Structure formats: structure tokens, C-alpha cells
Amino acid sequence: MPDPRFLDTPADLKRRLEAEREGTPFLFFRDGEGKQRIVTLGPARNYVSIGRAAGCDVCLDWDDRVSRLHARLERSGFLWTIHDDGLSRNGTFLNGERVQGHRVLSDRDELRVGTTEIRFRDTTPRRSRTVTLAASRISPVVSPAERKVLVALCRPYKQRSGFARPASNREIAAELVLSVDAVKSHLRALFAKFALDDLPQNEKRMRLVEQAFRHGLVRENEL
């Protein structure tokens, strides 16, 4: 039978609904006594540390399977990413899969840190939300040349900066010794394959980076 301390109360649901209406990304989880905690990821925040140490932004001091500094969240443009670069003893899991390096977060993603489950919410209205669920989960087939462009596009994220931006067409062209027109052609094909054609140009590029990491088409050790 579920521990009644860990069941949602009407007050818990009300607080989450209020947080969703504010339109700011947030985390929610339960502490060692079963009390709901909400951490808002407002515009002033670009970095959030998670761990057992008292100085962590998300302090999970009741969970002995959590390392002192276990993982971190970083803002990159309008996206949030979860990072675990070997800091933790027991690993960080995103939707049941262990995080290697970093992963982009999407609304309703589930994180597990030690034995603690943390939910990520981001109800910010964006046209990118119109991408169908099927399109976001099925990995499109990309050519070797398109994959090289994807890797080059994601290259700035090697530094894990909270202010990283996708590589420009000129930067990709210089790296791959291609013309800018050739890079644009490959990107148009990739936007079409990932159903991103109807998004604003800057958002297309950010969303393409997100999908490249999410589908494993680009890995951190390639950057």
C-alpha cells in the first residue's frame, strides 16, 4: 500500500497548477518527510546544483544514495539540460536511462537522483510544441553528410556553457570545408526530417540541437 506521506494532496496539486500558470520552468519532488518541494527555474537562474551538500540549490540531504555534488542543470537559450559528468557515485537517470554527459530536458521529464524522483515542468508556450509526439520520438534517418553538419552545429555545447548557441552556417562551413549554401541545404533537409520547418529560424536551430542529442545522433565525446 502506498505510503500516505507520498500521495498528492489537493494543496500539492494546487501549488503545481499555480506554478504551471506562471509559465516558468520548475522542478518538483518530495523530501524525506514526503513534503512537496518546488524549485522555480526563473530567468535569473542559469545553473542549478543537485546534491546532498548543504550548499546545493537542490539539497537532498536525506538521501544517502545521492553524492555531495551529484548533478547540475544548466540553461542554454530556452532549453534546460541535465549534466552528470561522473560526479555522482550512483548516477543520474532521465526517464529511466542513465545520463552520460548531458541531456536536454523536455516538459514532464522524470529525473532520478539516488532514490529521489524529480519532475521537470516547462509549460512555456512555443510553436515548437506543435511537433508531433511521433516525430519527436522516432529517429529520422540522416545521411553521413547530414550527421557531420549536426555534429558541427552542436560543437559549441562542448564547453557546457549556459549561454551556448548552435554554430552558425559560416562556422559549420569552415569546419567541414563546405560552401555556406551547401550547409544551408543540409540544414533545410534536417529541419524537414525533424518536422521543424514551421518554427522561427533561431528556434529551428536550437530545437535541432535538442533532437540531435535526444536521439543519440550526436554524442558528447564527438564534440
Side-chain angles (χ1 to χ4, degrees):
M1 183 175 181
D3 189 327
R5 295 179 306 161
F6 296 91
L7 297 176
D8 279 333
T9 66
D12 291 334
L13 296 173
K14 182 174 182 290
R15 283 191 65 208
R16 294 210 299 271
L17 183 59
E18 289 170 349
E20 291 171 13
R21 285 174 176 165
E22 288 177 5
T24 301
F26 66 92
L27 306 172
F28 71 93
F29 56 94
R30 294 192 178 278
D31 63 19
E33 297 180 350
K35 184 177 179 180
Q36 177 176 260
R37 302 287 184 182
I38 292 179
V39 176
T40 302
L41 306 177
R45 270 187 161 154
N46 291 305
Y47 175 96
V48 175
S49 56
I50 302 174
R52 205 171 70 251
C56 288
D57 300 304
V58 178
C59 179
L60 310 177
D61 55 3
W62 64 87
D63 192 334
D64 60 8
R65 291 185 61 80
V66 173
S67 300
R68 286 181 58 77
L69 177 57
H70 195 105
R72 69 186 190 278
L73 271 67
E74 290 187 7
R75 185 196 299 276
S76 183
F78 62 79
L79 301 175
W80 278 91
T81 53
I82 177 72
H83 297 247
D84 186 328
D85 304 311
L87 294 172
S88 65
R89 182 176 68 250
N90 295 309
T92 301
F93 294 81
L94 172 61
N95 299 327
E97 297 182 5
R98 186 162 185 163
V99 174
Q100 304 290 344
H102 69 275
R103 296 279 299 277
V104 176
L105 295 178
S106 295
D107 184 37
R108 300 184 184 277
D109 273 348
E110 299 179 11
L111 296 167
R112 180 163 58 80
V113 178
T115 61
T116 303
E117 293 184 358
I118 302 174
R119 302 290 182 92
F120 173 78
R121 294 302 318 271
D122 182 4
T123 58
T124 308
R126 298 190 192 104
R127 292 180 68 198
S128 59
R129 302 290 183 196
T130 63
V131 177
T132 64
L133 184 62
S136 68
R137 291 190 173 178
I138 299 172
S139 295
V141 177
V142 301
S143 70
E146 289 168 347
R147 209 179 82 79
K148 287 180 181 178
V149 169
L150 277 178
V151 173
L153 181 74
C154 298
R155 187 81 63 196
Y157 292 83
K158 180 178 182 179
Q159 304 303 321
R160 305 186 184 93
S161 165
F163 299 97
R165 295 290 185 273
S168 69
N169 291 343
R170 289 188 180 279
E171 289 170 335
I172 297 171
E175 176 180 334
L176 301 180
V177 194
L178 294 172
S179 68
V180 171
D181 284 342
V183 171
K184 289 180 178 178
S185 177
H186 286 309
L187 286 173
R188 280 196 296 270
L190 288 165
F191 293 148
K193 288 181 178 183
F194 284 91
L196 303 175
D197 280 330
D198 64 336
L199 302 182
Q201 189 63 29
N202 288 339
E203 189 171 345
K204 281 184 188 180
R205 300 172 76 88
M206 293 288 291
R207 189 69 172 178
L208 186 57
V209 167
E210 176 190 357
Q211 294 300 325
F213 284 125
R214 176 171 292 279
H215 290 289
L217 295 169
V218 175
R219 301 187 181 279
E220 189 174 11
N221 60 11
E222 297 178 284
L223 302 181

